[in-house]
Amino acid sequence: MTWVQSFRRTALASAMLLAAASALAGAAAAQTVESIKKGGVLKIGSQVSQVPWGFSDASGKLTGFDIELGEMLAKDLGVKAEVTPVTSSNRVAALLTGQVDVLAAVMGIFADRQKVVLFSRPYTTNDTIYIGKVGANIKGWDDLKGVRVGVPRGTPQDIAITKAAPAGATIQRFDDDASTVQALIAGQVDMIGGAATQVPNIAQVVGPGKFEQKFVVARAYNAFAVRPGSREWADYLSDFVARKLASGELPALYKKWIGGELAKMPTTGEGEAALPISVVQ
């Protein structure tokens, strides 16, 4: 199969998924702040196998950046936090069908997603990169000929490599980030697409000096996502982010889990200002 045929197949699959998501949008009522407060519980959809965003610690307790942020949000609302595990492939469906009230799930703001959900203003950045063995001479797309590359299905890194990979590159798609990383560690693939935060996580498993960031594709802005029509709820979330930025709590959370200083971000979850910016062509 040529990369053009592969791209067309991925584009068709994406269109079908968007159509299905749009159909699901009417399956659950739009959320309001009052309805959540009245219910006494905030149902948060988060990824729970992606360090440092969401994972189980040594005692089995869920923790991580998005988990703590969700708990902070529930406290702000005066309700109990209830985390529902989601994956990159099922999180939007979980939101639209009413399984969760909000997604805090490494949810980058992208144009296609803006068609089916509402985003708050972003609360952090997340660089999409490609990771490979130390010493491998790979600096960009043109160096992937003959290379086996793993990506989580339907993610920005999947879309990017489908468009840009040269003839001779082998793309293997997995259901989530955890299985993609495992494929790299097990030698099933030579490189993977993922987040910059995955490099130190991999080093903790296999030891330092074995895998490294090869090149950066884009910078995404992560935000809360809510159901279409939930404008008041989205506005509340944007205000929450603004207040936690001003208080220093959000930058402190970023430093704790991601490291370094939180970058300046757009003040809206809509429009081109909040879409990924190209870092390396």
Side-chain angles (χ1 to χ4, degrees), residues 56-71:
S56 295
D57 63 18
S59 67
K61 180 182 180 294
L62 278 179
T63 190
F65 183 96
D66 279 337
I67 303 297
E68 287 199 7
L69 182 63
E71 292 171 345

Side-chain angles (χ1 to χ4, degrees), residues 148 182-190:
R148 300 169 301 166
Q182 185 56 44
L184 177 68
I185 294 173
Q188 297 173 18
V189 295
D190 306 308

Side-chain angles (χ1 to χ4, degrees), residues 171-234:
I171 304 172
Q172 296 186 35
R173 296 177 175 84
F174 300 88
D175 289 336
D176 52 34
D177 291 277
S179 55
T180 306
V181 170
Q182 185 56 44
L184 177 68
I185 294 173
Q188 297 173 18
V189 295
D190 306 308
M191 286 188 61
I192 62 169
T197 51
Q198 290 174 332
V199 177
N201 298 335
I202 294 171
Q204 287 183 6
V205 176
V206 302
K210 296 183 179 180
F211 295 97
E212 64 183 358
Q213 174 178 311
K214 290 301 181 181
F215 58 96
V216 180
V217 177
R219 168 164 289 171
Y221 297 101
N222 290 357
F224 292 113
V226 300
R227 296 172 209 156
S230 304
R231 172 55 59 190
E232 181 211 16
W233 180 212

Side-chain angles (χ1 to χ4, degrees), residues 43-50 53-55 62-71 82-88 90-91 94 100 102-106 123 224:
K43 295 180 289 184
I44 309 159
S46 293
Q47 296 198 57
V48 298
S49 60
Q50 176 145 213
W53 305 101
F55 63 100
L62 278 179
T63 190
F65 183 96
D66 279 337
I67 303 297
E68 287 199 7
L69 182 63
E71 292 171 345
E82 180 181 287
V83 176
T84 296
V86 297
T87 66
S88 57
N90 72 11
R91 55 191 168 184
V100 299
V102 62
L103 292 177
V106 202
Y123 53 71
F224 292 113

Side-chain angles (χ1 to χ4, degrees), residues 61-197:
K61 180 182 180 294
L62 278 179
T63 190
F65 183 96
D66 279 337
I67 303 297
E68 287 199 7
L69 182 63
E71 292 171 345
M72 190 185 298
L73 173 60
K75 182 179 179 180
D76 193 72
L77 287 160
V79 299
K80 178 183 176 181
E82 180 181 287
V83 176
T84 296
V86 297
T87 66
S88 57
S89 59
N90 72 11
R91 55 191 168 184
V92 172
L95 176 68
L96 297 182
T97 56
Q99 297 175 52
V100 299
D101 300 315
V102 62
L103 292 177
V106 202
M107 190 73 172
I109 301 172
F110 296 99
D112 283 350
R113 291 176 184 167
Q114 289 175 317
K115 296 175 183 178
V116 293
V117 301
L118 281 179
F119 284 102
S120 70
R121 64 180 289 175
Y123 53 71
T124 189
T125 58
N126 189 22
D127 286 349
T128 297
I129 68 171
Y130 278 83
I131 304 165
K133 289 183 179 179
V134 170
N137 187 25
I138 299 174
K139 299 179 181 179
W141 300 122
D142 292 341
D143 299 320
L144 296 182
K145 185 177 181 179
V147 176
R148 300 169 301 166
V149 186
V151 290
R153 187 176 287 105
T155 58
Q157 49 267 40
D158 181 4
I159 296 169
I161 196 169
T162 300
K163 292 179 179 179
T170 301
I171 304 172
Q172 296 186 35
R173 296 177 175 84
F174 300 88
D175 289 336
D176 52 34
D177 291 277
S179 55
T180 306
V181 170
Q182 185 56 44
L184 177 68
I185 294 173
Q188 297 173 18
V189 295
D190 306 308
M191 286 188 61
I192 62 169
T197 51

